[in-house]
Amino acid sequence: MMFPSLVHDALVVGAVLFVLGLVGILTRRNLIVMFLSAELMLQGISVSLVAWSRYHGDFGGQALVVFVLTVAACEAAVALVFVLQAFSRTGRLDAAAWQELRDAEIPRRIDRELPASDAVSPVWPQLAPAGILPARDETAEPEREHV
Amino acid sequence: MIAALLPTGTTPLLVAAIAAGTASLWLLLPQASGAGGRTGSLGGFFGGRTGLVGIVLGLAALAGLALAGRRLGGLGEEAAFQLVALVAIVGGAATVVTRSPVYSAIWFALALAGVAGVLLVLGAQFLGVATIVVYAGAILVMFLFVLMLAQPTGMAPYDRVSNEPLLAAIAGGVLLALLTTSIGRLSADPPACCTIPSRADAMNAAPSAPRADNTVPGVAAAPVAAAVVGAADPDALSADPVARLGRELFGRHLLAVEAAGLLLLVALIGAIAVVSRGEEAGTAERGTR
């Protein structure tokens, strides 16, 4: 019998999510974003498991996804505690702040050419100062018929 | 409605319905210069004659869409799947590449919505809802709380650099190519072990399996149900999947469910213990200095 195209597409989606999470956890330096990437990998696995569950027509894969959810919740709770501890020790959410723990033969990583700040600074809205009576706009008067 | 009566295919009907819907929306939107005597609020609730035409067009569009959906057989599982898969992948990619961790978490919420949609299309209703509730409702909010607690003001410099982005991207691409080619080979030539048994075969294999009714047995009756669910079930994903997933969980995997509950308790106590221990250590360090 033909391999269902929906299952095929779902497996590809699961693979893409897994690879995205893998690249994220390899490259990003922020501890929180690294954990988000790990959760993304778990999501990819969940999609693959449910696709196989549909293909085989039983609920083993879906039951496994329930346990994946449970483990993800536990992992997030414990990991976030450790992230908070690490932050309170170093004041940074930087994974490279803990490179003293590396192996002896691995050279120390030194950041070069760190961008000083973003090229585009965020544009914040300008609020009018409060407590001043606004000047009346004569041209806008006809629009304010209910005031 | 005229388009629906014509003996045409589904595609012209769909196009006509969408065009009618577009025209209806355009006509119903408030505009400065409309034909048919629409002058501000004086044209009444429907906006005069043009608005009435718009409403009629909109009703026709809805009818045409419903008809086309029925002809397509439930308006395309494939189309819905592609939409939610696109949302999931775009959200996941943005999660990884966004510089600000807060935006990263919010993009992750979008990716979760997409994943939940994929699970729903695949027929896992309970898991789709549970993903939204557990992940987006609890875990993601926890991440955001930690971000708000720990994020320094402004964007940190370590958020703007990556470890070996080129190498990591190449590695990811190689892994994705491997995975997709192996999935494509599966699709081209399914192994003999994994073909779905036809319904008749399954019925012959398990003739004594009683047909599961809609009533969910209580937890006390779960071990009895376990023996029933263990048999091969060809249309397991079509009839009342949530109840059947529950029966599977509390039947075959009852011990594992208990273990998962214990794991949650251990994680809770462990997190509290680590926090309090860390605070004690911190005060002790400060005291010795």
Side-chain angles (χ1 to χ4, degrees), chain A residues 18-20 34 45 65 91 106-107 116 144 146:
Chain A
F18 184 85
V19 166
L20 282 173
M34 287 172 75
I45 294 300
V65 174
I106 296 178
R144 299 163 57 102
H146 292 297

Side-chain angles (χ1 to χ4, degrees), chain A residues 1 3 5-6 8-13 15-20 22-24 26-30 32-33 35-37 39-40 42-43 46-47 50-60 62-63 65-67 69-74 76-78 80-85 87 89 92-94 109 114-118, chain B residues 77-78 81 85 88-89 92-93 96-99 101 104-105 108 112 115 118-119 121-124 127 130-131 135 139-140 142-143 146-147 150-151 155 157-165 168 172 175-176 179 183-184 186-187 190 194 196 233 236-237 241 244-245 248-249 253 256-257 260 263-264 267 271 274-275 278:
Chain A
M1 85 160 265
F3 197 79
S5 67
L6 189 66
H8 174 266
D9 292 351
L11 286 176
V12 171
V13 169
V16 170
L17 287 178
F18 184 85
V19 166
L20 282 173
L22 181 71
V23 172
L26 284 177
T27 55
R28 296 305 300 265
R29 296 255 305 263
N30 194 312
I32 301 276
V33 181
F35 277 115
L36 282 179
S37 302
E39 303 287 335
L40 202 61
L42 286 178
Q43 292 296 311
S46 300
V47 169
V50 171
W52 283 118
S53 169
R54 179 181 169 115
Y55 178 56
H56 287 292
D58 79 349
F59 280 100
Q62 294 197 19
V65 174
V66 172
F67 296 117
L69 274 178
T70 312
V71 172
C74 295
V78 176
L80 285 178
V81 168
F82 285 133
V83 166
L84 273 182
Q85 299 277 318
F87 176 75
R89 294 220 175 187
R92 292 194 289 169
L93 285 174
D94 191 1
R109 181 192 172 85
L114 266 184
S117 66
D118 267 355
Chain B
E77 206 177 28
E78 284 291 327
F81 179 82
I89 290 175
V96 170
V97 302
T98 309
R99 277 150 185 78
S104 196
F108 183 65
L112 283 177
V115 167
V118 169
L119 296 186
V121 173
L122 284 175
L127 289 176
T131 298
Y135 264 104
I139 295 181
L140 195 67
M142 202 155 64
F143 274 105
V146 172
L147 271 178
Q151 184 67 8
M155 296 243 295
Y158 50 84
D159 280 333
R160 292 192 291 268
V161 291
S162 304
N163 292 328
E164 307 292 346
L175 179 61
L176 186 61
L179 287 173
I183 291 169
L186 274 182
S187 166
C194 306
I196 300 177
D233 205 348
L237 299 181
R244 291 192 171 203
L245 175 63
E248 169 99 2
L249 266 181
H253 303 289
V257 169
L263 178 67
L264 281 170
V274 170
V275 167

